[in-house]
Amino acid sequence: MTTTNDIENQYDVIVVGSGAGAMTSAIFAADQGNSVLIVEKSDKYGGTSAISGGGIWIPNNDEFRALGGQDSYETALTYIKAASEGSVDESRIRAYLDNAPKMIRELQANSRVKFAVAEKYPDYYQHLEGSLPGGRSMDPELFDTTGLGDEMDHQQPASGNTLLMGRMAWTARQAHRAVAKERGWMLMIIGLMIRYKLDFKQRRKGRRDRRAGLGASLVASLRQSLSDRNIPLWRNTEFTDFVITDDKVTGIKVLRDGQELTLNARHGVVMGSGGFEQNQRLREKYLPAPSQQRWSATPAGCNTGAALEAGQKLGAATDLLDWCWWAPTMKVPKEPSSRGLFAERAFPGAIVVDGLGKRFFNEAAPYLEFGDAMYRNHHKTGNSIPAWVVFDSHFRFEYAMGPLMPGKIMPDSRVPKAWLESVYWKANTLDELASQINVEAAGLADTVEKMNRYAQTGIDEEFQRGGNVFDRYYGDSGVKPNPCLAPIQKGPYYAMKINPGDIGTKGGLLTNDFGQVVRPSGEPIAGLYAIGNCSASVMGTSYPGAGSTIGPAMTFGYIAANHITANRATTAN
Ligand SMILES: Cc1cc2nc3c(=O)[nH]c(=O)nc-3n(C[C@H](O)[C@H](O)[C@H](O)COP(=O)(O)OP(=O)(O)OC[C@H]3O[C@@H](n4cnc5c(N)ncnc54)[C@H](O)[C@@H]3O)c2cc1C
């Protein structure tokens, strides 16, 4: 029971969570004249957004057009509708397409956030009408964090696999150039290393690069934009419930450093508190089985479904609760979260097999599709959770796989001993390897023989790996005839275990075109907005291109701020 004595703090808008969408919403709300508070449960701000690639998928963006790229609202609409297969209302897709280019235009013009278009990053479903071979994904520029000072120590730290050699910041475009071994890639890496080493002032302080890239750049630049506006961000402050007055959400209850507080939001509460992937109970309730919190690549303990449960108590509608942003992941000892395998499945000479030693999907497919395929195959055969990625000594020398850097940089002698038979398995023959990992040896031998044939012809007769521009994006441009296919023929042989992990859940509170949370009848719950992974994704069951989670989170953050301000003006008149 809330009394007026409990109302200790008054704001126009309260934003819950401090991912990229939440911070974007706060910035727009403040720029429109609202007093804004952000509350974050963790002692670190930034959430999954801070450890992510930071890419945003913005169809029809200005930057691509300025470079002469061809895109249009209608083409993008055709594409998203085909990808999402009716799993989301068209009017929400339209709201996204109307607002995404405006959001990023205004944010870049008025804040520290800077993106460049990833011209070569293809949409994920190249077979669908309206897809483009590049230009819709945008990649954060490197951001100099000097101005943030010690506040940077409170940002969710970038995971090692988003940094060059686990330390140095780079952009996604630079990372791709190195992975695909495009012309000049070696010189580029040397340049990045020299820049890092010669930053003597920063090197005296520690290993952290002064510049941030990817999601760390996006979140740091947003954080500094909040500071520019004096928008308070309270860490260690956990949302626990809504305050309701006359059927309207008028505030929230929080635990701040263990103390209960009631915070009053005069014009709106924007929930940006992530999904429920870090809550085993909710995983078991909603996600396909088997499902493990430890398979998630998101920061441990952050996103536990608080918005979902509080919203359900209010009678909010929900959708897509059985879906994640799937990604095959790998567990590494001592790392709190799993590592996502985004690119390396496409490298030539690695295959993924189930317990029968059989491939079950195109390894180079987008991560959501691959995770979904792991479940579908498992539910059919009982054999693909876990699955195994298998490669030979040539692959091991040339390419990275999860935490194993290429052998030419990190030979087995330099790999932590504890990783043998926990992260990777190794044997002189394929038969021995199969017996170590309990995979059918005859099945594996047959699969490898077929793959070696496909590598010669360049045609994967079963799953068409490397058959489109998306697959080839992470292929090795020096490998012919198919940059995603190479023989597996030189021992010792290696295997690594992979699970159907995630980079967040994608179901949650159902929202309308304005980001308002709605009841099953479609009627909005006054005062309540949800964005990012605590809301049901505007992409439905699909993942149209790199940045399809953060792009919508930021765009609906913008839409929600605009709606709150517009409503406020109407109420005042
Ligand atoms: C390695 C990796 C790479 C990725 N790359 C990309 C990419 O390039 N592009 C892309 O679009 N997506 C990417 N993703 C996915 C993307 O990062 C997430 O889907 C997205 O960041 C989710 O945003 P969010 O705002 O919903 O949640 P988050 O960014 O996780 O933020 C939610 C915040 O809310 C806080 N919170 C939770 N509960 C409470 C509570 N009760 N009270 C207060 N605060 C609370 C959490 O602590 C957290 O800080 C990647 C993910 C990973 C793991």
Side-chain angles (χ1 to χ4, degrees), residues 16-22 39-42 44-56 159 162 237-239 272-275 297-298 302-304 306 325 342 503-504 531-534 543 546-551 553:
V16 180
S18 61
V39 298
E40 165 56 53
K41 147 182 158 180
S42 163
K44 301 266 190 297
Y45 65 85
T48 313
S49 306
I51 68 160
S52 76
I56 55 173
S159 51
T162 59
T237 305
E238 179 176 4
F239 158 87
S273 55
T298 68
C302 275
N303 298 335
T304 50
W325 302 100
F342 302 109
I503 55 172
I531 61 170
N533 290 350
C534 67
Y543 205 137
S548 296
T549 92
I550 298 177

Side-chain angles (χ1 to χ4, degrees), residues 397-433:
F397 183 78
E398 282 292 327
Y399 307 104
M401 180 56 74
L404 292 182
M405 290 294 101
K408 56 191 170 192
I409 304 170
M410 185 197 217
D412 290 352
S413 57
R414 288 187 47 203
V415 173
K417 290 213 166 30
W419 288 11
L420 187 60
E421 298 186 9
S422 66
V423 175
Y424 75 102
W425 283 253
K426 179 180 176 184
N428 286 329
T429 66
L430 277 172
D431 276 3
E432 268 175 61
L433 186 72

